[in-house]
Amino acid sequence: MLCNKINSGSFFVNRALNFIFGVASALYIVVVQPCWVFGGVVSCFFTNFLRCMLKPSDRQLAVLIFTGALYCCSVLLAGTILFVMLPQQLQAAFTQMLNGQALLILFFFCSGGAIVVGGVRWFLHNYYLPVEKMKADLRIIEKTNLKYRIPEQGGWQLRQLIRSMNHMGEYFVQEHQQLQSKIDMAKARAEYEKNTLAGLIDELSDGVIVCDLYERVVLYNKKAKKIFGTRQQFIGLGRKFNKIISSELFEQAVTELQRKLAGNFAELEDIDHYFNLTLDGQIINISAVPVFVGETTLNGVIFIARTATEPVRLPAHNPNIEAQTIMATGAKVQSQGRFYDFDILTDRQPAELLNRPLLNLSFTVFDTETTGLNPSGGDELVSLGAVRVVNGHVLENECFYTLIRPNKPIPIAATLIHGISNDMVAAAPSCTDVLHYFYQFAEDTVLAGHNIAFDMRFLKMKEPLTGLLFNHAILDTLLLSSVVHRQQETHHLDALARRFGIEDPFTRRHHALGDALLTAHILVCLFPLLKDMGIVTLGQALEASRNSRYSGLAY
């Protein structure tokens, strides 16, 4: 009898255990696995969202919190469903068995959570995040700085891989230097001839300005800036030539050259156009000759200028008049030849600025120094520096820099940062005068800077006083860096300069022109990295900047 009872009890227990195991297996397949699959999908979306919106350290913390929450929800949900689906007898037995074991259950529950969260953290810290950073570092080596080396980080396998890649990078640099030396030797003669030609043009006794058909300056020499006197600040690569002569005169010269090209001229050297310009009381003789694509297709105009010997007396009632008149003249200015091998001549400007490639734009990269960090609280500008970037080239010979006399004393704390004292700005021009000059310097360009929201706030605060509206398109290298280097925690100027291998033109930071030059070189280094991400046009760069986690900065 006892054996029968034992056998019956064993049979019941076995049946119960088999039932529980079957239910648990079914729940695992039907409930737990879908929970983890759903959790994986949600986690993937969540981590990608965090990747765009938070810093790396914040993202790691958020992922760990999310993993812990997902673990808790999954265990509680699976346990609850499993308990509800058990028969009442088993529920009572299970409840009685767990009665008084709350601390033990909590211990195992927390231990499991700690193991899961710790495992995720270990994976993030040793593999996922280092690999993401390594991908960004490899793009820097590929696109901008061959001498950049990937910092060793992550697990020991990953460190060995990085060490091997850095050794390979050293070998690649040596091979590249040898190849580059051969290329340099092959290009030496062409460079010598080009530099000689550029030197000859620069030293000509006549002023030479080459423009494309969109009135943009392609080339100019020192004599041209001297001849055009008060308007020399408008002469620069990529600038509109209509600040020197009117668009009507330019169009008339182009029309006349095209008419002669369509005629029967025995020699192309006979195709030219002559007119005089009166500027600041001085007669300027100007000869316009064509720049060709192929044999007879007009692609630009070379303006050769020289001053007449006799100045013109201006009317006494209007001494500041700057008249532009066409006068008949029989004297010809001797042609100095044709020059047409310039990238800007082949740039066909689209109608919309936002659709233009970044490499085909003109930028004014600027920086300011101030009395403090609160423009709305009365802080003022004390210096402004800028440099132009045209077609992906930093034009270090086209710079703007001046000290500014503020309307309040410069605090000692600010002087210790930028080195500008009250004595240095005592005789400096006012902010209103400086901003008028800067507005002309930056005309028809895209404004750029590092954390430019700070600098633009000072310019916007002065708009009611100056009457100038700085409604230019604006790019910020801080935002662009956060787009291409999402895994990096720092995006300040010094970090970017080291990352791109840029030599600092100034020995110290917080000099307006020095920071502007450094920012300009950083901007040019960002272009290929942006292109690698499919960000090619100005509109795409502005859209990417708006999605940056730093885009909400305001002053």
Side-chain angles (χ1 to χ4, degrees):
M1 181 67 68
L2 181 60
C3 290
N4 290 335
K5 288 184 178 180
I6 292 175
N7 290 333
S8 299
S10 299
F11 175 77
F12 176 77
V13 171
N14 289 333
R15 292 292 299 271
L17 291 175
N18 289 334
F19 175 77
I20 293 173
F21 180 77
V23 171
S25 300
L27 284 175
Y28 179 78
I29 296 173
V30 176
V31 178
V32 178
Q33 279 191 344
C35 287
W36 280 103
V37 171
F38 174 75
V41 174
V42 175
S43 176
C44 181
F45 171 79
F46 184 74
T47 51
N48 277 282
F49 172 77
L50 293 173
R51 182 180 180 182
C52 298
M53 300 304 297
L54 300 177
K55 297 180 181 179
S57 57
D58 296 335
R59 290 201 300 269
Q60 184 176 355
L61 178 61
V63 168
L64 294 178
I65 294 175
F66 180 75
T67 301
L70 184 63
Y71 166 80
C72 294
C73 293
S74 299
V75 172
L76 292 176
L77 179 62
T80 302
I81 295 176
L82 178 62
F83 182 80
V84 170
M85 295 184 66
L86 289 175
Q88 292 184 354
Q89 294 179 349
L90 292 180
Q91 288 182 4
F94 189 71
T95 303
Q96 185 177 5
M97 182 181 68
L98 296 180
N99 189 24
Q101 304 296 329
L103 292 178
L104 183 62
I105 295 172
L106 182 62
F107 171 76
F108 283 110
F109 180 79
C110 293
S111 298
I115 292 173
V116 171
V117 173
V120 172
R121 182 186 181 280
W122 178 85
F123 175 76
L124 289 175
H125 181 72
N126 289 282
Y127 290 97
Y128 179 77
L129 292 178
V131 168
E132 289 294 312
K133 291 181 180 179
M134 188 171 67
K135 286 165 55 180
D137 292 338
L138 286 174
R139 284 202 301 270
I140 295 174
I141 296 174
E142 177 190 3
K143 300 295 182 180
T144 60
N145 184 13
L146 287 175
K147 296 182 179 180
Y148 182 75
R149 292 296 167 260
I150 304 173
E152 293 188 15
Q153 54 191 329
W156 68 271
Q157 301 98 331
L158 195 58
R159 288 177 177 271
Q160 286 185 336
L161 176 62
I162 293 174
R163 197 175 298 118
S164 299
M165 294 177 68
N166 285 336
H167 288 320
M168 186 181 298
E170 295 290 345
Y171 173 78
F172 180 74
V173 167
Q174 293 177 3
E175 292 294 319
H176 180 269
Q177 288 175 344
Q178 293 178 3
L179 179 62
Q180 189 63 41
S181 64
K182 295 179 181 179
I183 295 175
D184 291 341
M185 291 177 62
K187 292 171 58 178
R189 182 173 180 81
E191 287 293 325
Y192 173 77
E193 293 177 353
K194 185 183 74 173
N195 293 334
T196 302
L197 179 61
L200 290 173
I201 293 174
D202 204 38
E203 297 300 328
L204 287 175
S205 59
D206 296 334
V208 177
I209 298 179
V210 183
C211 297
D212 68 354
L213 297 182
Y214 296 100
E215 302 183 50
R216 294 175 298 181
V217 175
V218 176
L219 178 147
Y220 65 91
N221 64 355
K222 291 187 296 186
K223 187 65 175 179
K225 301 199 77 168
K226 183 177 180 180
I227 288 176
F228 287 102
T230 58
R231 298 189 184 182
Q232 62 177 287
Q233 71 268 23
F234 298 115
I235 300 178
L237 295 183
R239 290 188 182 277
K240 290 288 189 178
F241 194 50
N242 58 14
K243 298 293 183 180
I244 308 299
I245 67 171
S246 66
S247 295
E248 290 78 11
L249 289 179
F250 185 90
E251 292 173 2
Q252 185 172 355
V254 171
T255 302
E256 183 65 18
L257 292 176
Q258 288 176 334
R259 184 187 67 80
K260 291 185 177 181
L261 281 171
N264 295 322
F265 282 81
E267 298 291 340
L268 291 178
E269 284 74 10
D270 295 332
I271 301 177
D272 45 24
H273 176 65
Y274 305 95
F275 60 92
N276 283 354
L277 177 70
T278 303
L279 180 63
D280 296 338
Q282 185 77 37
I283 295 178
I284 302 175
N285 306 133
I286 298 178
S287 171
V289 295
V291 177
F292 295 108
V293 171
E295 293 295 330
T296 58
T297 302
L298 185 66
N299 198 33
V301 181
I302 303 174
F303 292 96
I304 304 170
R306 64 169 51 167
T307 55
T309 55
E310 294 296 329
V312 176
R313 294 185 178 275
L314 295 176
H317 65 278
N318 190 3
N320 295 321
I321 188 171
E322 295 181 356
Q324 294 185 1
T325 57
I326 299 178
M327 298 186 296
T329 175
K332 287 191 175 183
V333 180
Q334 185 178 0
S335 174
Q336 302 294 334
R338 296 188 294 269
F339 309 92
Y340 51 87
D341 190 15
F342 307 103
D343 292 337
I344 198 170
L345 289 174
T346 60
D347 175 27
R348 291 295 176 261
Q349 180 176 350
E352 289 291 335
L353 178 66
L354 296 180
N355 293 331
R356 296 193 63 188
L358 294 171
L359 286 173
N360 291 350
L361 289 172
S362 296
F363 294 88
T364 297
V365 185
F366 77 101
D367 186 70
T368 63
E369 299 301 333
T370 65
T371 60
L373 302 177
N374 188 7
S376 302
D379 281 319
E380 297 269 343
L381 297 173
V382 297
S383 71
L384 192 153
V387 62
R388 301 184 71 240
V389 175
V390 178
N391 288 346
H393 301 287
V394 180
L395 306 180
E396 296 188 359
N397 61 320
E398 295 188 19
C399 295
F400 179 97
Y401 178 75
T402 181
L403 295 173
I404 302 173
R405 185 179 69 254
N407 293 323
K408 61 177 291 186
I410 303 175
I412 297 178
T415 300
L416 292 176
I417 294 175
H418 49 58
I420 301 174
S421 64
N422 289 297
D423 293 338
M424 295 171 63
V425 298
S430 67
C431 185
T432 301
D433 293 337
V434 168
L435 290 184
H436 275 89
Y437 283 117
F438 178 67
Y439 188 85
Q440 294 176 351
F441 182 83
E443 195 170 11
D444 297 325
T445 65
V446 178
L447 292 180
H450 193 78
N451 193 16
I452 198 173
F454 175 77
D455 305 287
M456 288 302 301
R457 181 60 177 163
F458 281 92
L459 271 56
K460 292 292 184 181
M461 292 291 294
K462 293 295 182 180
E463 284 184 352
L465 180 64
T466 62
L468 301 173
L469 297 178
F470 287 90
N471 54 1
H472 304 62
I474 297 172
L475 280 185
D476 193 335
T477 52
L478 172 65
L479 303 184
L480 295 178
S481 174
S482 68
V483 170
V484 300
H485 298 147
R486 291 175 178 171
Q487 300 302 324
Q488 300 291 343
E489 297 185 9
T490 58
H491 300 279
H492 55 77
L493 279 178
D494 292 327
L496 293 179
R498 289 192 298 269
R499 201 171 296 161
F500 292 128
I502 301 172
E503 295 184 2
D504 188 358
F506 282 63
T507 57
R508 63 177 178 84
R509 289 270 58 77
H510 301 294
H511 186 287
L513 182 56
D515 287 353
L517 284 167
L518 185 57
T519 303
H521 286 286
I522 289 172
L523 177 66
V524 172
C525 288
L526 286 169
F527 287 159
L529 297 175
L530 291 168
K531 183 179 180 180
D532 195 45
M533 299 177 64
I535 302 172
V536 179
T537 66
L538 176 62
Q540 292 171 336
L542 292 174
E543 180 64 25
S545 298
R546 282 191 288 268
N547 294 330
S548 167
R549 61 177 177 268
Y550 294 102
S551 61
L553 291 177
Y555 296 90

